[in-house]
Structure formats: structure tokens, C-alpha cells
Amino acid sequence: MTQLNQELPAMYYAATMRVWPLMGVAVRTEGKPESALAAVRKRIHDLDAELPPLSNVRSVEDWVSSGAAQPRLNAVLIGVFACVALLIAAIGVYGVLAYSVNQRTREIGLRMALGAQQSNVLRLIVGEGMLVGIVGIGAGLCGAYGLSRALATLLFGVEARDPITFLGVAMALMTIALAAS
């Protein structure tokens, strides 16, 4: 079966010049293709009664859909794995930052006891958490940008280095880092 992203050489032969064991017939119809099937079968039989009857009759939409089935499955699987990876990354970012803040509970208590303002302590913790988040997300974006060319053959109608996707993932992880801090 041919894929949508492959170009195969094609050659046209009139049926009177050469007959192949398996031949395809394309018919343009107005309206539903099923309504013209009986007339097409009759016309082919009238042209040559020894030709076998038509089999595997399908519309162009069905033919294109079956040709796109494997790329569609690949895209769905990659999308599912990407969502799982994003979820794992979010859990990891949240876990690391929450653990870091939890480890500093005594330090925070000591700062508050010595007269530090709650807003200053909050700014310190959130600032350090966001710094860790920005560094991690920056490294991840660089890695994803570098590896995105490998996924380019699996994408149709979307750039492998789509800035909206990169920005959306980065913003989601930054929001999680902010919540964890």
C-alpha cells in the first residue's frame, strides 16, 4: 500500500494495449459513488464480457483514509506518549520543587523568627524555584529542538519545530513550577 508522503512512478496504458492481472478503474461520479456502481459494472461488461467483475470497490475518500491509517496511528501514539511524558515531567518538576521547599522548612521558620517579612520569604522561595524551573525548561527546550528533526517525517501539516507547541509546553511547566514553589 502506498503512503501519502511517497511518490511512486506511474504509467498509463490503455486497456486495449496491455492487460494486467490486477487493474484499477477510477470513475468520477456526480453524487454518491455507490449509485453509479451498477452502471459502471454494466459498462465494463459491455466493453469486454471476459473481464472479471469489479472487486474491492471503494471511494477515493476510503482509499485515502486507508492510505493514511498508519501515519494516523503513529501520530496518535506519539501524541499519547507526549502527553504521558509531559505528565511525568510535571510530576517530576512538582516533586523536586516541593521537596526542596520542604527541606527548607527550618530555614524558613528561622528567617520568620528573626523578623523577615512573609512576602520576602515567599519571594525568595518562589524566585529560587522559578530559577530552577527556567534552567530545566530551557535545557529541555534545547534538547527537544535538537531532536525535533527526527519526528519531522511523522508529522503532516504541522512543523516539527512549532513555536506554539514549544511555548505551550514551556508555559505549562512554568505554571507547575510556580505552583510547586
Side-chain angles (χ1 to χ4, degrees), residues 2 19 33 48 52 112 115 125 141-142 152:
T2 61
V19 176
D48 189 350
M112 296 294 286
I125 299 298
L141 285 175
C142 290

Side-chain angles (χ1 to χ4, degrees), residues 15-84:
T16 56
M17 293 176 55
R18 183 176 226 171
V19 176
W20 294 86
L22 295 173
M23 293 176 55
V25 177
V27 179
R28 179 181 293 176
T29 64
E30 292 190 22
K32 294 190 180 254
E34 297 82 21
S35 62
L37 186 57
V40 170
R41 286 186 176 176
K42 181 180 181 330
R43 181 68 178 140
I44 290 174
H45 182 73
D46 290 346
L47 290 172
D48 189 350
E50 294 182 19
L51 284 176
L54 292 178
S55 63
N56 197 14
V57 177
R58 56 190 173 160
S59 67
V60 172
E61 290 82 14
D62 293 341
W63 183 79
V64 169
S65 178
S66 68
Q70 187 64 43
R72 188 179 305 119
L73 176 64
N74 292 344
V76 167
L77 287 176
I78 287 173
V80 167
F81 290 142
C83 289
V84 169

Side-chain angles (χ1 to χ4, degrees), residues 12-170:
Y12 172 78
Y13 290 103
T16 56
M17 293 176 55
R18 183 176 226 171
V19 176
W20 294 86
L22 295 173
M23 293 176 55
V25 177
V27 179
R28 179 181 293 176
T29 64
E30 292 190 22
K32 294 190 180 254
E34 297 82 21
S35 62
L37 186 57
V40 170
R41 286 186 176 176
K42 181 180 181 330
R43 181 68 178 140
I44 290 174
H45 182 73
D46 290 346
L47 290 172
D48 189 350
E50 294 182 19
L51 284 176
L54 292 178
S55 63
N56 197 14
V57 177
R58 56 190 173 160
S59 67
V60 172
E61 290 82 14
D62 293 341
W63 183 79
V64 169
S65 178
S66 68
Q70 187 64 43
R72 188 179 305 119
L73 176 64
N74 292 344
V76 167
L77 287 176
I78 287 173
V80 167
F81 290 142
C83 289
V84 169
L86 182 62
L87 179 65
I88 290 170
I91 291 170
V93 167
Y94 185 84
V96 166
L97 290 176
Y99 178 77
S100 173
V101 170
N102 190 33
Q103 290 295 312
R104 297 178 69 181
T105 303
R106 290 184 182 189
E107 175 195 343
I108 295 168
L110 186 59
R111 285 179 186 268
M112 296 294 286
L114 292 174
Q117 296 293 321
Q118 183 177 357
S119 60
N120 291 341
V121 173
L122 183 63
R123 191 174 323 128
L124 173 72
I125 299 298
V126 171
E128 288 178 5
M130 293 306 287
L131 180 64
V132 170
I134 287 171
V135 169
I137 290 168
L141 285 175
C142 290
Y145 189 81
L147 295 174
S148 62
R149 185 172 290 199
L151 294 176
T153 59
L154 301 174
L155 301 174
F156 297 99
V158 177
E159 295 284 326
R161 295 177 175 163
D162 182 33
I164 294 173
T165 302
F166 278 78
L167 183 65
V169 170

